[in-house]
Amino acid sequence: MTKKKEITKTTYQLPIGPIHPALKEPVMFEFEIDGERIVDVDVSLGHVHRAIEWAGMRRNSIQILYLAERICGICSISHPIAFARAVEDACDIEVPERAGYLRVIQCELERICSHMLWAGVAAHEIGFDSVLFLTWEMREKVLDLTEYLTGNRITKAIITIGGVRRDITKDQLPKIHETLNYFKDNFEKLRKIFLDDKTFKLRSQDCGILTYDDALKLCAVGPTTRASGVKKDVRVDQAYAAYGDLDIDYITPDVLTGEVNGDVYDRIIVRLLEVKQSIELIEQAITGMPSGDIVSEPKIPKLLNHIKKTAGEGIGRHEAPRGEVIHYVKFDGEHENPYTWKVRASTYNNILPWIPMLKGEQIADIPIVAASTDPCMSCTNRVAIVDQNKKYELDKEQLHKLSVEKTRRLMR
Amino acid sequence: MAKGLPKSFKKALWVYHCNSGSCNGCDIEIIAALCPRYDVERFGIKLVGSPRHADVLLITGPVTRQMEDKVKRIFEQMPDPKAVICVGNCGNTGDVFYESYNLVGPVDNVIPVDVHVIGCPPLPESIIMAVAKEWVKLETLEAKK
């Protein structure tokens, strides 16, 4: 008993969140702190739980597309595309070749947009606000292009089951090239700021290290895992849409520096190089785009009828800007709405790596290390149990029981 | 500029942004409004880190059950006169999440809202317009004192 008391004297708890100026979204951290060093971290989630999967099981597949789009405003193409691929997998719907190319263009535009957004937030977290403004001004160019191509800046509603909803016509190409050229011209400027600047180097090198083994063990995804040297990218591993026809390879920090440290600096390198890669992919996709249909079945009632008659399950994977997104659907062959819909967003995998990253760091490093995985709480908050007193209970036994029950239900 | 606004503003509006469970769409548009393209800071509109410093509360998201008391507490912490802007369809009506078991919202059910901004997400222009409208309200409240 006396020993315990001594421990409480030396370390103290520091709660951050759920509403905090450093956090853009509700999430709560409990830090165990010894002086300036972080001894332990606990993350509490569930503040953004909106029962999306529950609602999805009561709607038909076309309606779910728009629900999936609103899982996360930043990955507003990644979730619909993963869902659409899951339904296409379950119902054997073939996507026309041109639609695959159009999907690639939209996905890569979103990636540029998301990485630019992240770069700005990362700069803001270390107190470099002029860089935040610079990157967000550049980001507006991509948003302009997105608005030009799809009609909206954030939620694009472009993906549909079996293809895309809007084509890219010949007279739209000059504007696309103009934006891409703007990025190519300014890429060197960005590279200089993020990779050569002394402030960035001081704050990001040897900070928040995630080793290769930890990245593998904790199943980190996306740029977070690639920065630790793990070669994992759905676009290469399971080339979908038109990625198989394009020249694409894993981006790890050793491409540029020749070594892998797995620190925040490496994560910046990976994202920066991915912006460049995305520009190249869009250019390749535009040159190689064949003519043809953009959707396999334009008549929605006919499509829904086909889905209704299908019994089966499907999985859709997609490499979102933050990492791999997996959607799973199951249809029972009688109803329009899916029997099960399960979403695994990328941040879900990237939360546990926070613990090895943050341990041993200083309090002041919390924002930049947490931001370095590009966390997205609205994607992640999915598992929560509500009891009658409006309290959240995440009892391990109960969770296990529920999990077993769910597996049984799915096996039926 | 909104009608009824005095030629010289008596004060700069300080805005506090609270995410009550939104999808981030509105949140990034709010930050976009603060960035060079729209640059609302030239009007004296500034995002602050504490509700105790704020005149206006920008609230996004449909208010999940876990965020309910936190939203109420933030509203109570703001000094008078204060105003609330609800940004985005889901905070105004529930939007695609309308039937969810975990929502206490729309925001109207939790705290009084003065200006509703519709859109999913609204354009930064609409958000700036809403803040300008709030300005008029706060100026009138101030004049009544």
Side-chain angles (χ1 to χ4, degrees):
Chain A
M1 201 63 204
T2 43
K3 225 180 181 183
K4 250 187 185 175
K5 264 187 182 171
E6 271 170 27
I7 294 167
T8 45
K9 263 183 192 169
T10 48
T11 63
Y12 61 97
Q13 301 263 335
L14 180 75
I16 291 185
I19 296 175
H20 190 269
L23 306 166
K24 300 285 166 293
E25 296 168 83
V27 58
M28 187 165 166
F29 296 94
E30 283 254 11
F31 291 100
E32 183 94 26
I33 283 166
D34 175 18
E36 261 283 309
R37 297 264 144 212
I38 303 165
V39 183
D40 205 359
V41 196
D42 195 9
V43 190
S44 128
L45 298 167
H47 297 87
V48 204
H49 178 71
R50 287 157 298 178
I52 290 177
E53 285 169 357
W54 180 87
M57 286 179 229
R58 279 148 190 82
R59 297 179 194 184
N60 70 37
S61 304
I62 293 291
Q63 289 168 328
I64 292 178
L65 278 176
Y66 301 98
L67 193 59
E69 198 163 25
R70 281 154 185 84
I71 290 176
C72 173
I74 304 170
C75 319
S76 59
I77 279 189
S78 307
H79 284 289
I81 203 172
F83 176 73
R85 291 194 63 228
V87 176
E88 283 152 14
D89 181 23
C91 305
D92 293 326
I93 298 166
E94 207 174 309
V95 182
E97 214 179 329
R98 186 179 175 84
Y101 277 82
L102 290 169
R103 280 183 176 184
V104 167
I105 293 172
Q106 298 293 349
C107 290
E108 295 307 319
L109 276 179
E110 185 183 81
R111 195 178 314 277
I112 298 176
C113 198
S114 176
H115 283 346
M116 295 302 289
L117 182 149
W118 174 83
V121 172
H124 171 73
E125 301 292 14
I126 63 168
F128 208 155
D129 270 355
S130 44
V131 178
L132 163 76
F133 291 143
L134 180 85
T135 51
W136 278 61
E137 195 176 9
M138 289 175 79
R139 178 178 166 268
E140 288 287 337
K141 288 268 176 193
V142 200
L143 286 180
D144 282 349
L145 182 61
T146 317
E147 194 175 4
Y148 181 68
L149 294 177
T150 66
N152 205 352
R153 284 159 55 94
I154 309 288
T155 41
K156 295 118 185 165
I158 186 89
I159 306 292
T160 188
I161 292 160
V164 291
R165 288 180 60 213
R166 279 195 185 86
D167 202 356
I168 291 176
T169 52
K170 248 185 195 155
D171 50 316
Q172 285 177 322
L173 294 181
K175 170 97 178 167
I176 301 178
H177 286 302
E178 190 199 313
T179 311
L180 294 183
N181 287 336
Y182 170 83
F183 267 88
K184 273 194 208 155
D185 296 343
N186 284 284
F187 185 78
E188 183 53 30
K189 196 166 142 193
L190 266 184
R191 196 197 63 80
K192 239 184 184 165
I193 293 170
F194 281 97
L195 300 185
D196 296 345
D197 189 89
K198 208 176 154 193
T199 322
F200 265 103
K201 275 190 169 173
L202 278 175
R203 286 304 305 273
S204 61
Q205 277 178 339
D206 291 323
C207 165
I209 293 177
L210 181 71
T211 58
Y212 179 87
D213 290 340
D214 277 343
L216 269 185
K217 264 187 228 157
L218 296 168
C219 296
V221 289
T224 312
T225 194
R226 286 197 285 276
S228 298
V230 183
K231 295 200 168 176
K232 194 152 93 176
D233 189 330
V234 190
R235 294 176 294 171
V236 188
D237 300 336
Q238 197 199 37
Y240 54 97
Y243 284 117
D245 304 343
L246 306 176
D247 180 23
I248 176 171
D249 201 8
Y250 308 100
I251 287 195
T252 44
D254 49 334
V255 177
L256 193 75
T257 57
E259 54 177 1
V260 179
N261 296 318
D263 53 7
V264 177
Y265 188 70
D266 279 1
R267 274 165 233 143
I268 297 174
I269 295 176
V270 168
R271 289 206 174 83
L272 210 60
L273 293 180
E274 281 191 14
V275 170
K276 201 177 179 187
Q277 186 188 42
S278 293
I279 297 169
E280 282 161 11
L281 283 175
I282 296 172
E283 279 182 339
Q284 286 176 34
I286 288 172
T287 19
M289 196 158 54
S291 55
D293 290 336
I294 58 162
V295 63
S296 63
E297 179 52 73
K299 288 182 190 129
I300 287 173
K302 205 175 162 188
L303 176 77
L304 283 178
N305 204 24
H306 172 63
I307 294 171
K308 193 178 167 182
K309 281 181 196 154
T310 317
E313 51 189 354
I315 289 177
R317 293 168 76 196
H318 168 66
E319 182 76 17
R322 294 173 167 82
E324 184 184 4
V325 176
I326 301 176
H327 280 231
Y328 166 85
V329 284
K330 183 176 178 178
F331 294 101
D332 58 3
E334 288 167 29
H335 298 95
E336 257 186 354
N337 51 323
Y339 184 68
T340 306
W341 175 34
K342 179 74 197 146
V343 182
R344 210 278 281 126
S346 33
T347 307
Y348 189 74
N349 290 35
N350 285 342
I351 279 182
L352 282 178
W354 271 345
I355 296 167
M357 275 182 209
L358 284 170
K359 267 188 193 170
E361 297 292 341
Q362 291 186 343
I363 303 175
D365 288 329
I366 294 171
I368 180 68
V369 172
S372 72
T373 67
D374 201 357
C376 177
M377 290 310 135
S378 56
C379 289
T380 310
N381 282 263
R382 205 119 323 112
V383 185
I385 306 161
V386 197
D387 80 0
Q388 304 256 307
N389 306 326
K390 295 183 187 170
K391 272 185 189 160
Y392 283 73
E393 282 188 3
L394 279 166
D395 189 322
K396 204 179 169 189
E397 269 182 32
Q398 264 184 327
L399 256 185
H400 178 71
K401 204 179 132 211
L402 277 172
S403 161
V404 171
E405 275 171 14
K406 185 161 182 176
T407 317
R408 278 197 197 126
R409 206 168 64 230
L410 290 179
M411 297 294 285
R412 240 179 250 156
Chain B
M1 201 43 72
K3 223 177 153 187
L5 209 61
K7 270 181 192 160
S8 59
F9 307 125
K10 278 202 193 107
K11 55 179 181 182
L13 276 196
W14 284 14
V15 178
Y16 183 75
H17 163 223
C18 166
N19 178 337
S20 74
S22 89
C23 73
N24 283 346
C26 302
D27 310 86
I28 49 178
E29 288 295 59
I30 288 171
I31 302 175
L34 289 157
C35 284
R37 167 72 65 89
Y38 298 98
D39 194 16
V40 290
E41 269 187 41
R42 68 201 148 124
F43 303 130
I45 303 171
K46 195 179 136 190
L47 209 61
V48 289
S50 165
R52 292 184 201 279
H53 300 161
D55 304 302
V56 174
L57 174 64
L58 275 181
I59 181 156
T60 59
V63 192
T64 56
R65 219 168 274 283
Q66 213 175 4
M67 291 301 289
E68 185 188 5
D69 54 329
K70 280 131 198 155
V71 169
K72 276 183 186 158
R73 260 171 67 193
I74 281 179
F75 181 71
E76 280 158 15
Q77 282 173 2
M78 285 171 65
D80 284 320
K82 57 190 166 191
V84 179
I85 302 176
C86 178
V87 181
N89 278 352
C90 57
N92 288 321
T93 61
D95 203 25
V96 287
F97 315 118
Y98 72 101
E99 58 185 356
S100 164
Y101 56 78
N102 203 35
L103 299 189
V104 198
V107 181
D108 274 330
N109 296 351
V110 186
I111 51 173
V113 178
D114 301 295
V115 178
H116 299 269
V117 189
I118 52 158
C120 188
L123 288 172
E125 287 94 334
S126 328
I127 299 171
I128 300 169
M129 181 67 192
V131 177
K133 277 186 175 169
E134 286 290 15
W135 222 322
V136 179
K137 194 209 157 180
L138 286 176
E139 294 277 349
T140 9
L141 279 178
E142 197 77 358
K144 272 183 194 166
K145 263 188 181 173

